[in-house]
C-alpha cells in the first residue's frame, strides 16, 4: 500500500505545517501537525474543556461506530517549547492520504496548554518519531507509521516541505519526480526515539566548507534550524547589522538584507543541502524593523534540531529499515 497527503504551512512564516487526517466512522476531519520529533497521535476532543478550545475540530468517540476506549490507558506529553497536553486513549480507524490504519491509538485530549489553544489552525499532532517514546501508559502504543508499516510497499515515509506552498508527505514509496540528483543516505541513531543523525559540517555562502560533526535530529515539528553556537556565530558574523537580540529571542537581521545561503553536509560522499539565504529570514521579529533569523542556537536543548527551515530545502526520506538499520535520505530539489 501507498499513501500521499498534501501538507500546508499554517502561517506566512512557515512556523508549522498541517495535513488533513480522517478519524472514525463516519469520518471526522482534522488538520494535524505531522511531527517527526514526537510519537503521539493526539487530537482536541469532546473531553477538552470549552475554555481550552478555540475553533479546533474535536474528536467525539461516541459518534464513531469503530471507536473503542482503551480502558485504564492515558497519555501525557510535554514538548521542547514548553507546550503540553494529556488525556485518554481510544482505538479507531485513522486514514491519511488514502492509507488506513485500523485500530490506531487515538489520544483524545482532556487538557491542552495555552499555545495549543491559541493555535486554531492545528487540531493536534501525528507523531512520526519512533514508537519507543510514545507516552501512552501503562501500555505504550504505536505511531501511525508503525501501525501501517507492514502494509507498506517499503517501510519508508518522505517529507517534502515547501516555503509558502503546499508540500507532500508520502508513505511507502519514493517519488523520483520530487527531487533532483541522487539521495544520500546516512545512518540513524534512534536510541533516544528520534530520527538522529550526524551532519559532516557546514558552509556559509561560498566560504570554505567547515568540517564539524553536528549531531542532531530531523524534526518536522520544529520551526527553526537549531545548531551549536560556533555555527550560528559564523553565519551571523557574515551579516551586516545582525544582532543577538534577547528580547526577540535570538539573532535578528535587518529585514531588507539579502542573507547568505547556509549549507550542511550529509553522508560521507561530500553531499550538501543548501538553504537559500531567502529562506533564512523568518519575517518580522516583533521588535523594530528587524527580522528573525531561521538559524538559531541549540543552546541548552541538549540536541541540535534540523527543523523546517532546513527540511524545506530538501526531499527527506525517513527509512525505518528497508536496508536493515534505520537511515535518513537527503536530496536537493
Ligand atoms: C526545542 S523544540 C521546539 C519545538 N517547537 C517549535 O519549534 C514551535 C513549533 C510551533 C508551535 C506552534 C505554532 C507555531 C510553531 O515553534 C517555536 O518554538 N518557535 C517558532 C516561532 C519562533 N518565532 C519562536 C520559536 C518543539 O517543541 N517541537 C516539538 C513538536 C511541536 C510542539 C508544539 C506544537 C507543534 C509541534 C517536537 O518536534 C520536538 O519536541 C522536543 C524536542 C526536544 N526535546 C523534547 C521535545
Amino acid at each position: 500500500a501507498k499513501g500521499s497527503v498534501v501538507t500546508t504551512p499554517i502561517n506566512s512564516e512557515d512556523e508549522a505545517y498541517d495535513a488533513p487526517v480522517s478519524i472514525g466512522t463516519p469520518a471526522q476531519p482534522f488538520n494535524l501537525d505531522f511531527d517527526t520529533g514526537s510519537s503521539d497521535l493526539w487530537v482536541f476532543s469532546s473531553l477538552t474543556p470549552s475554555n481550552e478550545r478555540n475553533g479546533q475540530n474535536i474528536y467525539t468517540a461516541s459518534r464513531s461506530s469503530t471507536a473503542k476506549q482503551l480502558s485504564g490507558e492515558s497519555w501525557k506529553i510535554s514538548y521542547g517549547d514548553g507546550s503540553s497536553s494529556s488525556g485518554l486513549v481510544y482505538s479507531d480507524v485513522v486514514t491519511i492520504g488514502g492509507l488506513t490504519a485500523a485500530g490506531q491509538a487515538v489520544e483524545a485530549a482532556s487538557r491542552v496548554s495555552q499555545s495549543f489553544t491559541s493555535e486554531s489552525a492545528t487540531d493536534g499532532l501525528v507523531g512520526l518519531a519512533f514508537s519507543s517514546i510514545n507516552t501512552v501508559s501503562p501500555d505504550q502504543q504505536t505511531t501511525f507509521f508503525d501501525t501501517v508499516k507492514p502494509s507498506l510497499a517499503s517501510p519508508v515515509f518522505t517529507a517534502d516541505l515547501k516555503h509558502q506552498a503546499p508540500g507532500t508527505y508520502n508513505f511507502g514509496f519514493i517519488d523520483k519526480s520530487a527531487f533532483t540528483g541522487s539521495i544520500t543516505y546516512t545512518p540513524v541513531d534512534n536510541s533516544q526515539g528520534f530520527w538522529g543523525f550526524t551532519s559532516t559540517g557546514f558552509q556559509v555562502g561560498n566560504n570554505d566548507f567547515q568540517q564539524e560533526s553536528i549531531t542532531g535530529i530531523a524534526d518536522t515539528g520544529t520551526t527553526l534550524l537549531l545548531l551549536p553556537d560556533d555555527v550560528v556565530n559564523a553565519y551571523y558574523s557574515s551579516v551586516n547589522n545582525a544582532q543577538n537580540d534577547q528580547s526577540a529571542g535570538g539573532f535578528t537581521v535587518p529585514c531588507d538584507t539579502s542573507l547568505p545561503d547556509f549549507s550542511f553536509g550529509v553522508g560521507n560522499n561530500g553531499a550538501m543541502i543548501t538553504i537559500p539565504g531567502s529562506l533564512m529570514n523568518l519575517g518580522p521579529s516583533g521588535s523594530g524593523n528587524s527580522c528573525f533569523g531561521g538559524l538559531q542556537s541549540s543552546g541548552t536543548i541538549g540536541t541540535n534540531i534540523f527543523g523546517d527551515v532546513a527540511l524545506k530545502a530538501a526531499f527527506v526520506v525517513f527509512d525505518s529499515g528497508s536496508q536493515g538499520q534505520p537511515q535518513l535520505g537527503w536530496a536537493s530539489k
Side-chain angles (χ1 to χ4, degrees):
K2 297 175 178 172
S4 183
V5 67
V6 170
T7 185
T8 308
I10 64 165
N11 60 27
S12 54
E13 285 77 44
D14 299 343
E15 283 191 331
Y17 291 78
D18 278 352
V21 175
S22 292
I23 304 176
T25 311
Q28 298 178 34
F30 300 92
N31 299 308
L32 304 183
D33 183 348
F34 286 27
D35 174 28
T36 60
S38 66
S39 304
D40 286 45
L41 192 166
W42 71 264
V43 283
F44 277 72
S45 79
S46 51
L47 308 173
T48 314
S50 54
N51 68 334
E52 292 181 17
R53 304 197 315 239
N54 180 22
Q56 286 86 359
N57 295 296
I58 62 169
Y59 173 62
T60 307
S62 60
R63 294 226 180 105
S64 169
S65 61
T66 42
K68 296 183 195 66
Q69 186 176 352
L70 301 190
S71 70
E73 304 292 347
S74 65
W75 61 283
K76 180 176 174 44
I77 194 164
S78 59
Y79 297 99
D81 61 9
S83 56
S84 63
S85 51
S86 61
L88 304 180
V89 189
Y90 297 82
S91 75
D92 207 339
V93 174
V94 174
T95 300
I96 296 178
L99 205 49
T100 293
Q104 170 65 38
V106 175
E107 302 173 33
S110 46
R111 59 153 296 278
V112 300
S113 63
Q114 171 52 40
S115 62
F116 286 118
T117 303
S118 58
E119 191 44 70
S120 57
T122 300
D123 304 325
L125 266 66
V126 176
L128 293 171
F130 291 82
S131 298
S132 58
I133 57 171
N134 171 267
T135 75
V136 174
S137 174
D139 303 297
Q140 193 170 60
Q141 301 296 309
T142 55
T143 63
F144 171 81
F145 176 56
D146 276 351
T147 306
V148 298
K149 193 187 296 183
S151 73
L152 294 181
S154 176
V156 306
F157 66 90
T158 65
D160 181 10
L161 304 181
K162 295 187 191 271
H163 169 59
Q164 289 301 285
T168 310
Y169 283 103
N170 289 330
F171 293 87
F173 73 105
I174 289 173
D175 175 359
K176 294 195 180 327
S177 71
F179 58 90
T180 60
S182 59
I183 300 175
T184 296
Y185 285 92
T186 193
V188 159
D189 164 14
N190 63 351
S191 60
Q192 304 303 305
F194 298 117
W195 291 91
F197 74 103
T198 297
S199 166
T200 52
F202 70 97
Q203 181 175 317
V204 176
N206 296 318
N207 299 346
D208 294 344
F209 180 76
Q210 305 297 313
Q211 281 212 347
E212 174 179 332
S213 288
I214 304 172
T215 298
I217 65 174
D219 183 3
T220 57
T222 286
T223 311
L224 303 172
L225 171 55
L226 301 170
L227 296 180
D229 289 331
D230 70 293
V231 179
V232 176
N233 292 333
Y235 183 76
Y236 290 109
S237 63
S238 75
V239 177
N240 290 332
N241 301 318
Q243 52 178 336
N244 193 348
D245 176 357
Q246 286 321 309
S247 71
F251 281 89
T252 64
V253 297
C255 291
D256 54 4
T257 298
S258 67
L259 294 172
D261 297 349
F262 180 84
S263 304
F264 59 97
V266 291
N268 50 21
N269 60 1
M272 280 198 304
I273 297 297
T274 297
I275 308 169
S278 56
L279 294 190
M280 296 294 285
N281 174 336
L282 237 64
S285 71
S287 73
N289 91 323
S290 65
C291 275
F292 199 66
L295 169 62
Q296 299 294 342
S297 170
S298 52
T300 58
I301 300 174
T303 180
N304 297 299
I305 301 186
F306 293 81
D308 299 336
V309 162
L311 302 176
K312 242 182 288 184
F315 176 84
V316 191
V317 182
F318 293 79
D319 181 338
S320 69
S322 67
Q323 310 299 315
Q325 78 140 33
Q327 55 180 0
L328 273 173
W330 297 88
S332 298
K333 60 189 183 190

